[in-house]
Amino acid sequence: MKTLTVRLPEPLVADIEAESRGRKISKSDVVRERLQNARHERRRTKSLAGIADLVGAVDDLPTDLSARRKKYLHATRYGQKRPR
């Protein structure tokens, strides 16, 4: 593992030290966890941003569509041949 030295504001250092003492783990472990969590949050945010414009784009669907999708598709005649 490589070593990295950073300068942090006093309130942040105090927060990290308090969490370290409370959880009985090293300050380095606390910082590693926080950096890892931030990385996962950024990924999740990017994924959600990609579909954000689609959320709520379809109106007038039944609230129980996930449970009764076959019945809904049958009722709307989806997938059946239509006359020309």
Side-chain angles (χ1 to χ4, degrees):
M1 205 176 295
K2 290 208 169 210
T3 302
L4 173 68
T5 303
V6 295
R7 296 183 190 279
L8 301 172
E10 287 295 326
L12 181 57
V13 172
D15 186 42
I16 291 170
E17 288 173 345
E19 184 176 344
S20 171
R21 282 190 305 272
R23 294 177 56 198
K24 296 181 181 168
I25 60 175
S26 71
K27 290 183 279 187
S28 294
D29 287 338
V30 172
V31 172
R32 273 192 288 274
E33 286 177 4
R34 288 183 179 196
L35 290 172
Q36 199 72 320
N37 289 341
R39 193 166 126 200
H40 290 299
E41 285 298 318
R42 278 195 309 272
R43 280 189 197 152
R44 187 175 309 140
T45 302
K46 285 181 184 178
S47 300
L48 293 176
I51 63 165
D53 59 330
L54 300 175
V55 174
V58 180
D59 296 327
D60 301 325
L61 291 177
T63 57
D64 62 346
L65 181 59
S66 63
R68 300 178 52 212
R69 70 180 179 278
K70 285 185 180 180
K71 186 174 182 177
Y72 175 77
L73 293 175
H74 182 70
T76 58
R77 302 178 49 88
Y78 179 83
Q80 295 178 5
K81 290 186 179 180
R82 297 181 182 174
R84 294 183 181 202

